[in-house]
Amino acid sequence: MDLEKESKAVDLSHHLSVVSRARKTSPLKGLQKYFVKPGMLSLAGGLPSPAYFPFSSISADVLVTESFAVVPDEQSSTFSWFWKLFGSGPSTKEKTTTVTIPKYPTNPGDINLAAALQYGAAVAQTPLQEFIKNFVTQVYQPAYDDFSVLIHTGNTDGWNRIVATLCNPGEGVLTEEWTYPSAMSAMAPYGINPVPIAMDSQGMRADSLNTLLSEWDEEARHMKRPHVMYIVPVGQNPKGTTMGVARKKEIYEICVKYDIIIAEDDPYYFLQMGLFVPKGERSMSAIASTSTQKDEVQEYIASLEPSFLRYDYEGRVIRLDTFSKTIAPGSRLGWFTCNPLFAERLERQGETSTQAPCGFGQSLITRALLHWKYEGYIRWLRGLGAEYEIRRNFFIDCLAEEFLLQKGVGTSGVWRGCNVYRASAKNKKQLMQEKYAVERDTMFSFIPPTAGMFVWMKLHLENHPSFAQEDGETLEMKLWTQVAEAGVLFGPGWMFAPDAFSTSVMEENEVGHFRISFSNSEFADLKKAVTIFGRVIREFFAKA
Amino acid sequence: MDLEKESKAVDLSHHLSVVSRARKTSPLKGLQKYFVKPGMLSLAGGLPSPAYFPFSSISADVLVTESFAVVPDEQSSTFSWFWKLFGSGPSTKEKTTTVTIPKYPTNPGDINLAAALQYGAAVAQTPLQEFIKNFVTQVYQPAYDDFSVLIHTGNTDGWNRIVATLCNPGEGVLTEEWTYPSAMSAMAPYGINPVPIAMDSQGMRADSLNTLLSEWDEEARHMKRPHVMYIVPVGQNPKGTTMGVARKKEIYEICVKYDIIIAEDDPYYFLQMGLFVPKGERSMSAIASTSTQKDEVQEYIASLEPSFLRYDYEGRVIRLDTFSKTIAPGSRLGWFTCNPLFAERLERQGETSTQAPCGFGQSLITRALLHWKYEGYIRWLRGLGAEYEIRRNFFIDCLAEEFLLQKGVGTSGVWRGCNVYRASAKNKKQLMQEKYAVERDTMFSFIPPTAGMFVWMKLHLENHPSFAQEDGETLEMKLWTQVAEAGVLFGPGWMFAPDAFSTSVMEENEVGHFRISFSNSEFADLKKAVTIFGRVIREFFAKA
């Protein structure tokens, strides 16, 4: 890293919202020295005695960190799914170890229910705080030393708290052209509006961002220039693109110039999987590892696109991490990494909303992480990434079996610079069998994702026979409904427009998308879904 | 119940705040019929496969429901604490049963991690939803049938969501004269202000409420007449009073007249313990139970002061329940009971903030509740209430040993109608030993709480030698600091003023209180704390 900048968090206090400014530092501060005095008899709080917690101990069988291969082993993985269909086979014999959390600690500092299930500050239990701090230092390597980490109940809670901490009603938030609907829904009730920026193969475009900000006309827009950005740089939701180092540096510098705070929502960071390689060519990509274990960890970390934190010499990034994709969504546990000023305000806000995340979840996850240790957790994450790579490959292989895919490089709009696959009906035989006189028009195109869980599909509605008569939005929902009636549920594209939930009508060129998730279904069901989709879309595009 | 009113929720939609009105019903509503279609292949959500959840199963050792006696058994309880000090004895031999939650269900409908740890709606897992609905029906008996129950992550989250759902910036919220600080801190950043109502032995006074509302002067107050009330009717925090049936009906009718929504924050409902009986007279109160088990459950429920829900024929109550005091604070789990319109909005808000509460906690608590069953959980709650009664009695016994307590009935202010105990130095010997020339002035007075965890203590600062020179606020903090320096932490009284965190200065007659919690410390420490406090306060009040 060679930024040639002084890595020091600058004073960003002017960014705090009206709400956050009113959320004063606790007036108890002066009294707090007494709270931590050892041997103090505290009759101050409303704490139940742990003797009345009806849980004597909790335990968990935790998967071993080597549960999944680090080099995608497609055959064994698809086979395990096959076996699972019949209720037996390798996947039912998960290798686990048991961890237990007693009510009272055996040794001081041990995780225990008496502490984990008690009221406390809206921060992590100490062992989890230490684990996360070390993890961030090793993996994300922030550009300044005194960064804070603060737990929250998942990135949705995290973003909601950022909005209240930084945004005032009537302000705008910079977003990608297509984005995560829940993030927009959190802003809307407060009259905070998305300001979309064009995208390409790397996600948000730096040139478009710069143009928008430099030409910002407060009067014409009825809005001040935005000072907060919401961005999903890895496995962008819904588009699946991943932003590289150069683009991140460009965007960061623009944010410095226009004094913008970057909220980096990054749930798919460890589901990075590189470019898609078609089935026939794929064995080439699996390179046997020869390095030692410690080198391997560092090599793996180095292989991941760095976080914005790495270049955050001014402390203007609030990174959102979550255990939802790496442990389980029901963990309702994640964390902020940001400057101490913002962390203090976000903590104050937690105190009057969620308080500390659930003690059952916190202690079970912490116990598993401490059992695995840092290297073991990294090993788990690598295996997880490899599994999602297999899933992506399997799903696109299914598309390749069902459709004629033609690869090209996108030249315009969100497709610029991407490896685009255009899908048309496969062959005359298929067409004859189904008795539809479909021509070789492209029905849809897509970009294989480089991270995450989704394939973002663009429907070529201009090739639909009644395109002249019906608008794109109607056609999109007509096809979505036909696919659903046939038993397959996709995400309708309009949901991912930043202003989908406002009253504005979408531009014609924005309509006609599906977001398809390959993360959850069993392999046989993914295959079945693609077959059904093939039949329905060919029928949909058939000339009458 | 004989309300002679039509029990039907009225249209309360005009109460929704600007924020809540903007939180439109999900536009996915029309598409939702497909989400629940059996056999549907869903590739729509961003759900990880449960195969990647690293928890194969979780287990817990859960205390049996009979862990604590239902009739306060003071001797065995204080003895068990005595033994615990030496790390052995009865309390270490807790009787437990083991419950387990596997990743995949054995029978359909079983609680399982594959479902509990997955993304879902911001509502409870089905078995918990059913348990809570039945519990509310049996215990609180709401006055209308189509009430909704909706889980949240604890009453702090619940109240925060009520504020956003019902209040607009600049509005006022009716509160008790002394109240829970966190509830006030949640309102303050949005410019929502407390409007305190006088209290007496039953909590909020109906006559004061009526006068305030009938004489409301919008211009003089720079505020519209409030339309939301925040109230802690049982084990009032900090005052420890409990509101009876008659007062609740009076307050409800005033709320009907002035169209006010009642947020009933009721964490101490099952810690109701009746009037305090001094030590010598106490054995009289333990009446051996002769009724059958089922009768006992109904008798117990009937012995509790009813919730506002019981009289809520218009659906204007939002009740907040929490597992924090009945299971553990770290549960971060509780629920709203309210009309379906409000429940829908509160759910929408959950979707963009906390989502569903933690799946680890939800499934462990649900599993324990299903194991205990409704009657078993009631048995657990009865035992818990009895334990807190022992604690209250023990703590006040300690005060009676340390001070001369003189019982009387309060005649004015918050003390009106209460059994007030006035404390002065015990006897000449104590005074001589400590060489302070303290006279028999009252140093403090208090009302034994009828529910909850706290003793609210009024300092008689007018009897302090330098009362003429120093203001009450300074003296309160001087004594608080001296007690803390001596190793005992109390809650400073000023924190519980509704406007404690604003810039306004408190009225002179408001200052000079401590909130003392008897809920958490070991018995020996409670005794020790009272002894230390006795020494410090006698020294404090000593004539120089």
Side-chain angles (χ1 to χ4, degrees), chain A residues 18-19 22-24 27-28 31 34-35 37 39-63 68 81 84 94 96 103-104 116-119 153 156-157 160 164 180 182 185-186 188-190 324-332 349 351-361 364-365 368 372 380 384 387-388 391 395 453-454 477 480-481 484-485 487-492 494-495 501 515-517 519-521 525-526 528-529 532, chain B residues 18-19 22-24 27-28 31 34-35 37 39-63 68 81 84 94 96 103-104 116-119 153 156-157 160 164 180 182 185-186 188-190 324-332 349 351-361 364-365 368 372 380 384 387-388 391 395 453-454 477 480-481 484-485 487-492 494-495 501 515-517 519-521 525-526 528-529 532:
Chain A
V18 170
V19 164
R23 218 176 279 283
K24 296 189 205 85
L28 290 176
L31 314 179
Y34 296 109
F35 298 173
K37 225 172 124 180
M40 200 78 177
L41 302 174
S42 177
L43 281 62
L47 280 61
S49 164
Y52 305 148
F53 300 169
F55 290 85
S56 262
S57 76
I58 59 175
S59 305
D61 290 332
V62 181
L63 264 61
F68 302 107
W81 282 97
K84 197 130 172 288
E94 293 176 329
T96 60
K103 190 183 272 186
Y104 300 103
L117 298 185
Q118 191 52 281
Y119 283 116
T153 70
T156 301
D157 172 44
N160 191 47
Y180 176 49
S182 273
S185 299
Y190 298 101
S324 289
K325 309 299 190 291
T326 57
I327 303 276
S331 304
R332 296 292 84 219
Q349 198 182 357
E351 285 169 358
T352 54
S353 56
T354 57
Q355 301 197 353
C358 174
F360 291 100
L364 284 167
I365 291 167
W372 283 349
W380 169 259
L384 212 56
E387 285 292 305
Y388 279 93
R391 288 181 155 271
F395 182 72
M453 301 181 155
F454 310 114
M477 282 319 295
W480 185 89
T481 307
E485 294 285 358
V488 178
L489 211 58
F490 289 166
W494 60 264
M495 279 183 59
F501 296 87
R515 192 194 72 173
I516 307 175
S517 161
S519 57
N520 173 263
S521 302
D525 286 342
L526 285 176
K528 197 172 151 191
I532 293 171
Chain B
V18 170
V19 164
R23 217 177 280 282
K24 295 189 206 86
L28 288 177
L31 313 179
Y34 296 109
F35 300 173
K37 224 173 124 181
M40 200 76 177
L41 302 173
S42 177
L43 281 62
L47 280 62
S49 165
Y52 306 147
F53 300 168
F55 290 86
S56 262
S57 75
I58 59 176
S59 305
D61 290 334
V62 181
L63 263 61
F68 303 107
W81 281 98
K84 196 129 173 289
E94 294 176 329
T96 60
K103 190 184 273 186
Y104 300 104
L117 298 184
Q118 191 54 280
Y119 283 116
T153 70
T156 301
D157 172 43
N160 191 47
Y180 176 49
S182 273
S185 299
Y190 299 101
S324 288
K325 309 300 190 288
T326 57
I327 303 276
S331 302
R332 296 292 84 220
Q349 196 181 358
E351 285 169 359
T352 54
S353 56
T354 57
Q355 301 197 353
C358 174
F360 291 100
L364 284 167
I365 291 167
W372 284 348
W380 169 259
L384 212 57
E387 285 291 304
Y388 279 92
R391 289 182 155 270
F395 182 73
M453 301 181 156
F454 309 113
M477 282 319 294
W480 186 89
T481 307
E485 294 284 358
V488 178
L489 210 58
F490 289 166
W494 60 264
M495 277 183 60
F501 296 87
R515 193 194 72 173
I516 307 176
S517 162
S519 57
N520 172 264
S521 302
D525 285 342
L526 285 175
K528 198 171 152 193
I532 292 171

Side-chain angles (χ1 to χ4, degrees), chain B residues 141 146 170-171 186:
Chain B
Q141 305 160 34
D146 69 333
E171 291 181 352

